[in-house]
Amino acid sequence: MPTILAINPGSTSTKIALFRDEHCAFTESCSHSAAELSAYTTIFSQYELREKTILAVLDKKGVNIEEIDAFVGRGGLLHPVSSGTFLVGGAMLAELEAATYGEHASNLGALLASRLAARLARPAYIVDPVVVDELAPEARLTGHPLLPKVSIFHALNHKAVGRKAAALLGRSYNQLRLIIAHLGGGISVAAHQEGRVVDVNNALNGDGPFSPERSGTLPARALTRLCFSGEFSEREIAQMISGKGGVVAYLGVNDMRQVAARVEAGDAQARLVYLAMASQIAKEIGSMATVLQGRVDAVVLTGGIAWDQPFVELISERVRFIAPLLLFPGEEEMEALALGALRVLRGEEPAQRYDPQPAG
């Protein structure tokens, strides 16, 4: 019965979970205050803080680190890769430390797993990082060769939920044609065709529906005028696109529970934004149905916002004609990390080596 420690560093939290075989022994999420994090100039410089946090939780839970057989971290911003479980190695760590493809708290996942594993000569892995790239060739073209489509989405949760949907339907994930929408701080809607994500919006800073913090697709010419108006810096424009866009730009809050409460209280502007976001998500789901030529086994909603039944109903009434709707509210990330490592430990799939070359 392998013991696996899953590590998921977020922008203001470090979440860990201990699994014995497929069973979760515990999950713990530790918050880091803005004041605490302000002492660090880079994400990677937070390593010691995050490691001490993890070791303190293990001590509190009475877990001897030597009993852990494998460590698995959330995958960060890397070169595009195929789906799967990757052994953490030097090339991967070098790119994450240099923030070659961008700086994000998830970049710490591989480092934390690797250094903890090195103490015991145990393996360290990442699973389905956000840069999983399985796009069909035609999905890569945006309309201009200088602006190719980039695959960045909630790959870990998408793949985990895809497998859960397959189990519910009594079939293999590799046999199904699914549309999966992850509804969280960012929103990604993907066409899953027989085990591959052949099309998906760039959920970090590109396109698709607007979300609690991201603007999604914007009018290109109007955005160009804004960029050259002299009123905003590049950083400010970037924040409009990701971080200060979407719901927070319209309503001043990024918590959809607050938005739902305002809708319930009769706030007309909140109701309009709530409806518009649901409508854009439904429209994106509809577009993915065309990618799959209308042959869709199920539409799947996941992520934190999928707990909001009225919001889900707004989407459902627009897309239920496409295929049956399945709900997996919340996120499956900790379990998905552990199960990815477990599949390798059991010999069910090989551990992949990270190759810093273009995927596909």
Side-chain angles (χ1 to χ4, degrees):
M1 184 181 292
T3 299
I4 300 167
L5 185 69
I7 304 167
N8 188 348
S11 57
T12 60
S13 67
T14 301
K15 183 182 289 187
I16 69 170
L18 189 75
F19 283 79
R20 293 188 171 94
D21 208 23
E22 298 177 352
H23 309 290
C24 183
F26 71 83
T27 297
E28 183 104 358
S29 183
C30 303
S31 298
H32 305 292
S33 69
E36 185 179 32
L37 296 177
S38 66
Y40 302 94
T41 55
T42 67
I43 293 292
F44 248 57
S45 64
Q46 298 173 13
Y47 167 76
E48 288 188 5
L49 166 69
R50 306 281 188 148
E51 183 185 62
K52 287 178 182 177
T53 299
I54 293 168
L55 293 174
V57 171
L58 293 177
D59 184 62
K60 182 179 73 171
K61 298 289 186 180
V63 176
N64 183 343
I65 193 170
E66 292 187 0
E67 72 181 74
I68 299 173
D69 297 298
F71 297 79
V72 57
R74 182 183 178 192
L77 297 174
L78 295 162
H79 205 283
V81 296
S82 59
S83 176
T85 299
F86 289 79
L87 194 65
V88 177
M92 179 188 296
L93 292 173
E95 288 189 355
L96 292 171
E97 185 169 4
T100 304
Y101 298 103
E103 194 164 36
H104 189 272
S106 61
N107 290 4
L108 280 167
L111 178 68
L112 288 163
S114 176
R115 291 194 180 172
L116 289 169
R119 296 180 175 203
L120 309 168
R122 305 283 161 74
Y125 306 104
I126 63 169
V127 180
D128 288 331
V130 294
V131 292
V132 165
D133 186 345
E134 301 171 328
L135 296 180
E138 63 272 20
R140 299 183 186 279
L141 276 63
T142 62
H144 198 286
L146 293 180
L147 300 169
K149 188 166 188 172
V150 177
S151 179
I152 297 182
F153 70 109
H154 306 88
L156 183 62
N157 196 45
H158 268 256
K159 292 288 183 175
V161 166
R163 293 186 184 97
K164 284 184 177 289
L168 190 63
L169 296 171
R171 296 170 65 187
S172 165
Y173 169 63
N174 292 335
Q175 296 174 327
L176 293 175
R177 300 163 75 89
L178 304 169
I179 300 170
I180 300 179
H182 175 104
L183 313 179
I187 291 173
S188 55
V189 182
H192 293 241
Q193 182 174 322
E194 296 161 358
R196 296 178 62 84
V197 175
V198 295
D199 203 350
V200 63
N201 64 297
N202 181 329
L204 179 63
N205 52 20
D207 52 21
F210 72 78
S211 79
E213 297 180 337
R214 298 165 195 174
S215 294
T217 301
L218 294 169
R221 189 67 186 94
L223 179 60
T224 303
R225 285 196 296 269
L226 206 62
C227 290
F228 287 90
S229 67
E231 297 180 33
F232 306 99
S233 67
E234 180 182 353
R235 178 179 177 80
E236 288 170 329
I237 293 290
Q239 288 178 328
M240 289 180 192
I241 293 169
S242 181
K244 296 183 179 180
V247 174
V248 73
Y250 286 114
L251 300 176
V253 298
N254 62 1
D255 188 333
M256 289 302 292
R257 293 169 296 185
Q258 294 181 35
V259 176
R262 285 168 60 171
V263 171
E264 184 69 21
D267 184 325
Q269 179 64 10
R271 171 67 183 173
L272 177 61
V273 172
Y274 190 78
L275 177 61
M277 192 169 94
S279 179
Q280 286 199 6
I281 294 165
K283 185 164 62 173
E284 193 76 9
I285 290 170
S287 74
M288 291 302 168
T290 69
V291 172
L292 298 175
Q293 297 91 37
R295 292 185 286 122
V296 183
D297 294 299
V299 174
V300 184
L301 302 185
T302 184
I305 300 174
W307 289 110
D308 185 341
Q309 287 297 324
F311 190 81
V312 166
E313 181 56 30
L314 287 174
I315 298 171
S316 176
E317 65 189 15
R318 289 164 169 77
V319 304
R320 62 168 61 107
F321 72 94
I322 297 171
L325 186 70
L326 302 179
L327 290 179
F328 295 94
E331 296 178 355
E332 309 286 339
E333 290 185 341
M334 302 309 287
E335 182 183 38
L337 288 172
L339 292 181
L342 189 60
R343 287 192 294 274
V344 169
L345 294 176
R346 287 174 170 172
E348 296 173 359
E349 66 179 58
Q352 299 189 51
R353 302 276 178 174
Y354 178 67
D355 179 6
Q357 299 295 321

